[in-house]
Amino acid sequence: KNEVEQSPQNLTAQEGEFITINCSYSVGISALHWLQQHPGGGIVSLFMLSSGKKKHGRLIATINIQEKHSSLHITASHPRDSAVYICAVVETSGSRLTFGEGTQLTVNP
Amino acid sequence: GAGVSQSPSNKVTEKGKDVELRCDPISGHTALYWYRQSLGQGLEFLIYFQGNSAPDKSGLPSDRFSAERTGGSVSTLTIQRTQQEDSAVYLCASGLALPNEQFFGPGTRLTVL
């Protein structure tokens, strides 16, 4: 069992739909990161969370430390949101990121 | 400002050859990470440098892999006697120490024939 699990693995949506990607983890963490990997391979950091909720434009990330769960929401999705979204955690005692397998999002016009 | 750069962007080599991959982090970033992403797979941690501390090498898959970071800046990942299973995209990231944000380079795509 992976320490970080994401669902769904693949997600197809129509433009304008509200999207949720989930991340569950099994270890104690000091922070959780959401990353976006574009089709060309470049990786961009979207959020770093240690509690609560953060919002940036149409993206919202939440984390529940007690339940060891985080969600990434995209409102009014657009084809340019098509990418792989990766959840990664920083273990409390660790010095590295542990990654989920990623969620492939495709938004159709 | 300049982001993290990596070179080469693509490298094709023959099985058994040695390769060197380079990472230029963002100036002032004390932390530098190497990751590997095999085709269709998730990201895998390889090695972590933080300031002048001894690097965390616990992710290196075999003793054929090594890395150094000179002067707290540029880093080189070396793979000796490459094998076909080493084919992957090798990504470098830099930042301040975790849990802070990391900034990723574009990666080096390594193909071992």
Side-chain angles (χ1 to χ4, degrees), chain A residues 10-72:
Chain A
N10 291 280
L11 179 58
T12 301
Q14 288 300 121
E15 183 172 357
E17 287 184 0
F18 180 85
I19 287 161
T20 296
I21 299 170
N22 296 298
C23 175
S24 296
Y25 52 92
S26 57
V27 295
I29 69 168
S30 58
L32 181 145
H33 292 250
W34 281 101
L35 310 171
Q36 180 191 54
Q37 185 168 30
H38 291 283
I43 295 177
V44 174
S45 178
L46 297 175
F47 294 104
M48 186 197 74
L49 293 162
S50 54
S51 65
K53 175 179 174 178
K54 286 190 176 180
K55 184 175 189 293
H56 184 214
R58 295 180 296 104
L59 301 178
I60 303 166
T62 64
I63 189 168
N64 185 317
I65 296 292
Q66 287 73 30
E67 294 185 4
K68 296 188 174 179
H69 181 269
S70 175
S71 293
L72 176 68

Side-chain angles (χ1 to χ4, degrees), chain A residues 33 37 45 48 95-96 99, chain B residues 35 37 48 56 58 99 101:
Chain A
H33 292 250
Q37 185 168 30
S45 178
M48 186 197 74
S95 59
R96 64 170 75 178
F99 298 91
Chain B
Y35 300 101
Q37 188 172 35
Y48 163 51
D56 178 353
S58 58
E101 179 182 6

Side-chain angles (χ1 to χ4, degrees), chain B:
Chain B
V4 178
S5 61
Q6 292 186 244
S7 60
S9 54
N10 281 283
K11 176 73 176 178
V12 180
T13 190
E14 293 179 348
K15 178 181 171 181
K17 300 282 190 183
D18 297 352
V19 296
E20 283 190 354
L21 312 179
R22 177 186 169 106
C23 172
D24 283 86
I26 293 171
S27 178
H29 281 180
T30 56
L32 187 148
Y33 300 80
W34 282 99
Y35 300 101
R36 178 169 74 172
Q37 188 172 35
S38 301
L39 185 64
Q41 302 296 313
L43 285 154
E44 174 189 4
F45 166 81
L46 296 178
I47 188 168
Y48 163 51
F49 297 90
Q50 173 58 48
N52 295 322
S53 303
D56 178 353
K57 304 179 182 181
S58 58
L60 295 178
S62 79
D63 60 7
R64 297 186 295 104
F65 288 72
S66 63
E68 62 177 24
R69 187 179 185 191
T70 53
S73 181
V74 172
S75 177
T76 303
L77 177 69
T78 301
I79 308 173
Q80 296 179 309
R81 304 180 302 282
T82 52
Q83 304 294 312
Q84 288 183 331
E85 61 262 28
D86 299 334
S87 296
V89 175
Y90 289 82
L91 289 151
C92 173
S94 74
L96 302 177
L98 281 177
N100 292 292
E101 179 182 6
Q102 294 184 17
F103 296 82
F104 285 80
T108 293
R109 183 175 298 277
L110 174 66
T111 304
V112 182
L113 301 176

